[in-house]
Amino acid sequence: MAIQKLWKKSLVGVLAISMLAACSDSSPNANDIKSDLTLDEITEKAKQEGTVNSVGMPDTWANWVETWQELETEYTLKHQDTDMSSAEELAKFEAEKDDATADIGDVGIAFGPIAKDKGLTLPYKTSYWDDIPDWAKDEEGHWIVGYTGTIAFLTDKNNVKNPPTSWEDLKNGDYHVSIGDALTANQAQFAILAAAMAFGGDESNIQPGIDFFAELAKQGRLQGDPTVANLEKGEIDVAILWDFNALGYRHQIDEQRFDVVIPSEGSVTSGYATVINKYAKNPHAAMLTREYILSDAGQENLAKGYARPIRENVQLPQEVKDLLLPADMYKNAQPVSDQKQWEETTKQIPQMYQEQVLIHAK
């Protein structure tokens, strides 16, 4: 669907791009961007740039591939992605600055405020601003959540006869478990939070989750990264992933081979946010990309990749709704209640995981 059909083209005020507060910024990109561009003007400038380079937005994650294809078809935007964790994305923005090779990234919600605080982001609200819940956006548009995910179990039934449906099952089992790199990956850190919640903790008390994975490590039950390749080879028994990744990986490999559930005691729901690089060489293409992601077509693409759209007023076709897990699986899933506290906790997780979990890894 052409995105022009979805947008109101005359919303100059709504579409205004807030500029960074620091007037002394020396970045030519930041200074060259006007604050009163209409969407038509942004679109034209994006076409002139002709390219959008992303980080952490690979084809296999949340069906980004379809969004990139449509941006190329509609706006002739060429695309290239470098897959990396949320922390690595921000490190790249900060290290490269005026030699930026990335225009836009997709980071876990906790990393949005960090990116803003570091002065790495170019704010842009988009025409869908009022459709985004307050918890899912920065008030100036430095970061905006595009979709949500809930921590789930993906079990290879070739390796595990009785797939776990709860954290207690996981604790008492003898199969190997993978969460990936908790030192840098947002998904792995939320897996720790979900486990903490299941065993009495929360975003201010992550210790029960650390203890849970420390015990698995002592038993020699922690495995490597839960990639599609490792799953396909049968090297992972149970992966703890966002629901959209678990469902997507199952679809890519074998629908019948893998079981996907939200753990029954509880889980955590969170979101991923786009951040536009303050130093982007293709800033208007990045803005247009964010606009498309939040459009009806972009939100449907994410749902096709098993991610739940952030805009509740998007009407999904029934066949797309059917791709998602049953709603009753989410009855004990909850979002982070204290986002500021979680931001502080995420800073502590790498050291805690290194010193209390990885030290026991075999």
Side-chain angles (χ1 to χ4, degrees):
M1 182 183 298
I3 195 167
Q4 290 96 328
K5 296 178 182 177
L6 304 172
W7 293 341
K8 297 178 180 178
K9 296 185 176 181
S10 61
L11 300 178
V12 177
V14 176
L15 297 171
I17 306 165
S18 302
M19 297 306 294
L20 294 173
C23 296
S24 61
D25 187 279
S26 61
S27 165
N29 285 334
N31 287 335
D32 287 346
I33 299 172
K34 296 180 180 179
S35 60
D36 59 351
L37 297 179
T38 65
L39 180 55
D40 282 344
E41 290 170 330
I42 290 173
T43 301
E44 184 58 34
K45 286 180 177 291
K47 289 180 178 179
Q48 291 171 8
E49 290 166 355
T51 299
V52 59
N53 295 314
S54 65
V55 283
M57 304 171 80
D59 289 355
T60 55
W61 181 288
N63 191 38
W64 282 126
V65 62
E66 203 160 346
T67 287
W68 301 129
Q69 289 171 347
E70 291 172 5
L71 282 167
E72 181 170 3
T73 299
E74 296 290 338
Y75 305 106
T76 65
L77 290 184
K78 300 295 183 182
H79 169 256
Q80 183 172 329
D81 182 77
T82 302
D83 192 14
M84 51 181 58
S85 70
S86 298
E88 290 168 339
E89 291 178 48
L90 301 193
K92 183 178 180 68
F93 282 13
E94 191 167 24
E96 293 182 345
K97 295 201 172 177
D98 290 338
D99 291 323
T101 60
D103 303 311
I104 189 170
D106 188 47
V107 299
I109 188 173
F111 290 85
I114 294 173
K116 178 183 177 180
D117 291 345
K118 286 178 173 288
L120 300 175
T121 51
L122 180 68
Y124 176 55
K125 291 185 175 182
T126 91
S127 61
Y128 301 98
W129 184 252
D130 292 340
D131 295 344
I132 311 300
D134 288 344
W135 69 266
K137 61 188 178 185
D138 171 68
E139 62 183 4
E140 296 175 320
H142 285 272
W143 54 267
I144 302 178
V145 169
Y147 58 100
T148 63
T150 300
I151 291 296
F153 297 166
L154 173 69
T155 303
D156 188 339
K157 293 187 286 187
N158 286 352
N159 298 345
V160 181
K161 290 186 177 180
N162 296 306
T165 61
S166 68
W167 292 100
E168 198 64 32
D169 288 347
L170 209 60
K171 180 180 180 180
N172 296 327
D174 59 0
Y175 30 77
H176 292 80
V177 177
S178 172
I179 64 170
D181 183 9
L183 303 183
T184 62
N186 182 69
Q187 177 177 247
Q189 293 177 356
F190 268 98
I192 296 171
L193 175 58
M197 288 178 168
F199 293 105
D202 56 26
E203 59 267 27
S204 65
N205 176 22
I206 203 75
Q207 194 62 50
I210 294 290
D211 292 344
F212 175 79
F213 288 105
E215 185 58 34
L216 295 186
K218 290 175 185 177
Q219 297 172 17
R221 293 175 55 199
L222 278 185
Q223 287 179 304
D225 286 338
T227 63
V228 172
N230 289 340
L231 287 159
E232 190 168 15
K233 289 184 288 188
E235 294 180 355
I236 292 175
D237 297 339
V238 180
I240 304 179
L241 305 162
W242 293 120
D243 50 358
F244 57 84
N245 278 333
L247 291 167
Y249 293 172
R250 179 176 73 174
H251 176 74
Q252 289 178 61
I253 303 170
D254 184 346
E255 292 278 359
Q256 303 304 314
R257 178 177 159 189
F258 293 90
D259 183 69
V260 179
V261 299
I262 305 299
S264 58
E265 304 99 330
S267 188
V268 63
T269 296
S270 189
Y272 273 75
T274 52
V275 285
I276 298 174
N277 191 350
K278 174 183 173 181
Y279 305 94
K281 292 181 179 176
N282 305 295
H284 303 95
M287 294 174 194
L288 186 61
T289 296
R290 175 181 280 178
E291 190 81 28
Y292 194 85
I293 289 168
L294 294 173
S295 73
D296 288 5
Q299 293 281 280
E300 183 177 324
N301 284 344
L302 290 165
K304 289 178 183 177
Y306 310 101
R308 292 180 178 266
I310 192 62
R311 286 180 50 216
E312 293 185 0
N313 59 346
V314 172
Q315 299 298 315
L316 298 176
Q318 188 60 47
E319 63 268 22
V320 176
K321 290 181 181 178
D322 291 343
L323 296 173
L324 306 177
L325 289 174
D328 62 359
M329 275 197 182
Y330 294 84
K331 61 185 178 182
N332 292 324
Q334 58 184 307
V336 170
S337 59
D338 187 339
Q339 191 61 45
K340 275 293 183 184
Q341 179 58 59
W342 176 236
E343 289 172 30
E344 291 304 311
T345 299
T346 57
K347 298 174 185 176
Q348 302 167 19
I349 288 177
Q351 183 175 353
M352 294 176 70
Y353 197 77
Q354 180 75 49
E355 295 178 353
Q356 299 181 48
V357 179
L358 292 183
I359 193 173
H360 300 296
K362 300 176 182 179

